[in-house]
Amino acid sequence: MPELVAEPMRKELDKAKRMQGDMLLSYFDALSKSGVTGTKIGYSFVMANPIELLATFDILPLFPEITSLNISYRGGAPPLIAQAEEVGYSTDACGYVKMGVASIMDKTKTSIGYIPKPDILFLSYSGCQIYIHWWEQYHYQTGAPIFTIDVPYLRDYDRHVPKHDIEYVAGQLEEMIPKLEAATGKRFNEDKLKEIVRLSGKAWDLWKECVEMGKLKPTPFDAYFESIYYMAPITFARGSQKCVDFYKFLLDELKLRAERGIGPTEREDYRLVFEGVPNYPFFKKFWGLFSHYNARCVASTYPKVAGLVDTGSFRLNPEKPIESIAEYMIHAYCNWNMPVRTHLIERYVKDYRADAVVIHSIKSCRSFSMGQGDIREYLAKELDVPTLLVESDHVDPRYYSEAQMKNRIDAFFETLALRKNRSQIN
Amino acid sequence: METLSFKSSFAQAAEDSYTNFDTVKEWKRETGGLALGYFPVYFPEELPHSLGILPVGLYGASGGVALDMATAHTQSFVCSITRSVFQMALQGNLDVFDGLIFSNICDVARNLSGITKRNLQKRYVDYIHLPINNNSSYATKYLNDEYLRVSAALEKLVGKKLETRQLAKSIRAYNERRRLQLELVNLRRSKPWLLDYTEWYSIMRSGSIMPVEHYVDQLQRYVSELAAKDAKAMDRIRVAVVGNFCEQPPLMLMKVIEDAGCYIINDEGLLGSRWLGNVETKGDPLFSLAQAYVQNAEPLTVRFHPDINKQSYIANFVRNIKADGVIFLTPKFCEPALYDYMIYKSTLDEIKMPYLHLEYEESSSSFEHIRTMVETFAESILFD
């Protein structure tokens, strides 16, 4: 059994992860103290949240997706899932929903501490239908009001967004301002919003530069397994100077790695594109199954759930804060239709000079996973791109079979090796 | 749309709506018109109808096709209706349709629209994003614009322009269908012994495929005859079935529920065809159609409405229809139904209304354990 840990990097060039961890800890700390500080907690989604508007009113967003994945990463998912299933939630329901609901049941302490209940539920309906149902569960569980922003799905196959979609989203954001004033007792400050939007835009620009470092050969970072750490601040800290500083630091670190030829594996033997949500309970083991083959991920879709930063689809503009937030909200990865998603992966394979695609399909999230078989069919059969599709779950360890997963991945790399040898001979 | 010469019984038309769509083929031969298949739950059929296009609901093959091709493209944890409709798209059963259209009922249906488009590239495949922020002052305008977008695509498909007068006429035709179906709903609630579920279902399902004028004509006669009918009531409990709004349960399963001692006084089968109620036809009919959707405050599991309180709704609903119990009949892997079940059941617990939760797939064929469960459920209520 090979060592399943991918950490050959020198510690001095792997500091951004720690920095992200510290930011996350202080964010969790602020959440846990909200009862004392009187800060309003606004439950929000990772995809398409108008965090800039919330921050203008000093509302602290809580992302149950982020708390749940962190609980799961620290092995704390099973008791919460069991608690939810005991009261009637189905094994077929999303693990995030079950964990979220259970984590605020009375006297529940999670592996990251107590999770505060919501004061407001911000329903940004973009890319995931279960968002609606999840927030309804919370609404009936806690009585917190739901503030809705309906974000139309990208329906056009050439990525065109109809004008009425943007007007609709922007109109709803405008309508939400008086509601936020009433809920917080604070007056809307447009200058404050513009400044937050400006900082947000800077962070997006830097994050874009970071993700595009994967185009270098060899890539200085793993654009899937390491991005899982790097992608968090763009969601929970966006709109702050701290967030900008983090992405500056990360970009510098990645540039230094590139200069010195250092990366997350000893060598770069394979360049992969990754599609799908990771497996958090076995995250490092799962990563190890790829790093063992000196495979590095050069581009991935999952870090784009917070915003399709590298597609030129949106740009936050302080002069048009509401409209640009509306545009951003439409371009969350799962809010794109399947053919457009598929073509993005195809583009990644070409632009990032990848050898293969790996799809990790998870039972919990039909939004991400339904139809990934079709992506595989297209890539493998029509483009001749080696594509592996494996299934498990992002939080529920019951759906992960390590031996089976390892067999599939080993077999895939055997095929890739043969293919590589053949192409070298030819 | 002209009333057609051919006569198709409800049962025959319903049978055609699973895999062969012969009723559609015959209609196309006779009229030379186009047909549009729509995925449940709700679709504004008036839009294609006003352009002379026949709208047809795609409610699944119910075990009528093998799912080998669909399985390669979809995950094992998605519902059966998705896989059977996709299988039919791939193997040609849906070739009779000149276009296919989907809407935002769930993530699975949404992604189904995309993979259908990728595999049927030359076909018109569209997707309507129906609004969920229905108390926003922007919602109706948005939906009006969305209907205009879809209408423009349909106009291109059929090569003619949508006319306001024609659209108003279509709305009136569908208003009549909804009115008659709701009349039948009420009749079933008051005298459930007048028709069994199989008969009820064939009437509802045939409405998803038959040309509306022909259907309304037959339904009108049927409802008057049924209202005049007399039959003896049996000693059964009155149950409301909740959860079968999209994927359709096998008819045998519904018969098992009836035979186990239940009158199904209400269920959500084909709910989308009657849910909208009456639509105003004065003024701008397209706007009225959008407004009717936005303002409708009757819950639909797949559609969020900020003003609806599902807990008080279910409590009032079961009281009003005089239900003795509720059977939650949820399709395997159907998350929307599973979440509403959690909301509704907590209220039923509070008001002490008995309920039972059963799961099904459209192709399920063994129901012995369900029979035992429903018998126990019915007896516990009858002898309480």
Side-chain angles (χ1 to χ4, degrees), chain B residues 104-359:
Chain B
N104 51 325
I105 58 164
C106 67
D107 295 321
V108 173
R110 194 195 56 203
N111 290 7
L112 173 65
S113 73
I115 64 171
T116 302
K117 176 64 190 174
R118 202 195 67 72
N119 285 275
L120 306 179
Q121 294 201 2
K122 288 181 185 156
R123 198 87 55 90
Y124 166 65
V125 178
D126 209 338
Y127 181 86
I128 295 185
H129 180 95
L130 296 162
I132 66 149
N133 198 358
N134 294 306
N135 60 11
S136 162
S137 62
Y138 292 88
T140 305
K141 162 138 192 350
Y142 159 78
L143 187 56
N144 180 75
D145 290 348
E146 181 65 354
Y147 283 172
L148 281 173
R149 182 189 67 79
V150 172
S151 300
L154 293 174
E155 285 172 348
K156 201 172 151 196
L157 190 71
V158 75
K160 62 174 162 183
K161 284 281 185 198
L162 188 139
E163 287 173 25
T164 302
R165 215 174 44 180
Q166 194 57 44
L167 180 60
K169 200 175 158 195
S170 297
I171 292 175
R172 280 194 288 276
Y174 282 92
N175 273 346
E176 189 57 7
R177 188 186 77 182
R178 290 186 280 262
R179 188 188 67 76
L180 286 164
Q181 287 189 338
L182 287 169
E183 207 175 311
L184 196 58
V185 166
N186 288 329
L187 202 52
R188 184 168 66 141
R189 284 179 193 165
S190 58
K191 295 179 180 173
W193 47 87
L194 290 183
L195 76 169
D196 62 17
Y197 192 84
T198 306
E199 190 171 328
W200 153 265
Y201 187 74
S202 76
I203 293 160
M204 287 297 155
R205 179 119 184 189
S206 58
S208 71
I209 187 169
M210 284 167 75
V212 67
E213 295 82 357
H214 181 53
Y215 178 73
V216 161
D217 183 50
Q218 290 211 355
L219 187 57
Q220 212 148 26
R221 274 182 277 160
Y222 176 83
V223 171
S224 347
E225 278 171 27
L226 189 73
K229 199 172 141 185
D230 201 14
K232 196 168 176 275
M234 288 193 282
D235 200 13
R236 289 179 174 184
I237 61 163
R238 294 166 57 85
V239 297
V241 168
V242 176
N244 58 328
F245 45 81
C246 181
E247 181 171 324
Q248 303 298 293
L251 281 176
M252 185 50 76
L253 166 60
M254 305 308 269
K255 189 169 181 333
V256 162
I257 292 173
E258 289 181 319
D259 291 349
C262 303
Y263 279 128
I264 299 169
I265 57 163
N266 196 82
D267 82 307
E268 297 183 324
L270 287 297
L271 179 60
S273 67
R274 54 189 183 274
W275 170 84
L276 194 67
N278 190 58
V279 179
E280 185 57 63
T281 50
K282 285 177 195 153
D284 178 356
L286 193 83
F287 190 83
S288 300
L289 195 61
Q291 195 169 42
Y293 180 88
V294 169
Q295 290 183 347
N296 191 338
E298 188 187 331
L300 197 58
T301 290
V302 293
R303 169 231 198 206
F304 177 73
H305 193 307
D307 292 340
I308 292 174
N309 183 317
K310 287 183 175 171
Q311 289 181 324
S312 53
Y313 163 78
I314 194 74
N316 291 333
F317 180 70
V318 293
R319 197 175 300 127
N320 291 343
I321 65 166
K322 297 184 177 66
D324 298 314
V326 172
I327 294 181
F328 291 102
L329 201 55
T330 58
K332 183 73 183 150
F333 305 121
C334 176
E335 280 194 274
L338 290 169
Y339 294 124
D340 261 8
Y341 161 67
M342 291 304 295
I343 295 168
Y344 289 151
K345 99 181 177 77
S346 66
T347 303
L348 298 186
D349 283 334
E350 273 174 32
I351 63 170
K352 298 191 174 22
M353 168 67 64
Y355 60 87
L356 178 69
H357 183 198
L358 304 170
E359 282 193 331

Side-chain angles (χ1 to χ4, degrees), chain A residues 17-33 66 70 74 111-113 232-233 236 242:
Chain A
K17 282 197 201 89
R18 167 57 53 202
M19 193 173 169
Q20 178 272 154
D22 291 343
M23 285 170 78
L24 202 57
L25 283 179
S26 78
Y27 165 63
F28 287 155
D29 191 47
L31 288 173
S32 67
K33 287 181 181 147
I66 293 183
N70 275 280
R74 289 163 178 76
S111 56
I112 59 165
F236 75 82
K242 261 189 187 172

Side-chain angles (χ1 to χ4, degrees), chain A residues 87-90 92-94 97 123 125 127-130 132-133 136-137 140 146 148 150-153 155 157 162 164-165 167-168 171-172 175 334 338-339 341 361-364 366-367 369-374 376-378 382 389 391, chain B residues 72-78 82 104-108 110-115 117-119 125 127 129 131-133 136-139 141-142 145-146 149 301-302 304 306 308-311 332-333 335-336 338-343 345 359:
Chain A
V87 299
Y89 284 95
S90 167
D92 295 326
C94 170
V97 178
L123 172 54
Y125 170 48
C128 172
Q129 190 85 9
I130 300 310
I132 295 171
H133 300 284
E136 274 193 307
Q137 302 297 308
Y140 290 111
I146 298 177
T148 309
D150 180 13
V151 184
Y153 187 58
R155 307 174 298 287
Y157 301 107
H164 63 266
D165 286 12
E167 285 170 356
Y168 179 42
Q172 293 173 83
E175 279 180 330
C334 288
M338 289 302 281
R341 273 175 58 179
S361 191
I362 59 162
K363 186 185 180 215
S364 274
R366 278 112 180 147
S367 169
S369 304
M370 156 61 197
Q372 282 176 328
D374 189 65
R376 177 193 54 195
E377 291 287 303
Y378 175 68
E382 294 186 33
L389 191 153
E391 279 185 13
Chain B
H73 297 252
T74 59
Q75 272 63 1
S76 55
F77 44 78
V78 302
T82 295
N104 51 325
I105 58 164
C106 67
D107 295 321
V108 173
R110 194 195 56 203
N111 290 7
L112 173 65
S113 73
I115 64 171
K117 176 64 190 174
R118 202 195 67 72
N119 285 275
V125 178
Y127 181 86
H129 180 95
I132 66 149
N133 198 358
S136 162
S137 62
Y138 292 88
K141 162 138 192 350
Y142 159 78
D145 290 348
E146 181 65 354
R149 182 189 67 79
T301 290
V302 293
F304 177 73
I308 292 174
N309 183 317
K310 287 183 175 171
Q311 289 181 324
K332 183 73 183 150
F333 305 121
E335 280 194 274
L338 290 169
Y339 294 124
D340 261 8
Y341 161 67
M342 291 304 295
I343 295 168
K345 99 181 177 77
E359 282 193 331

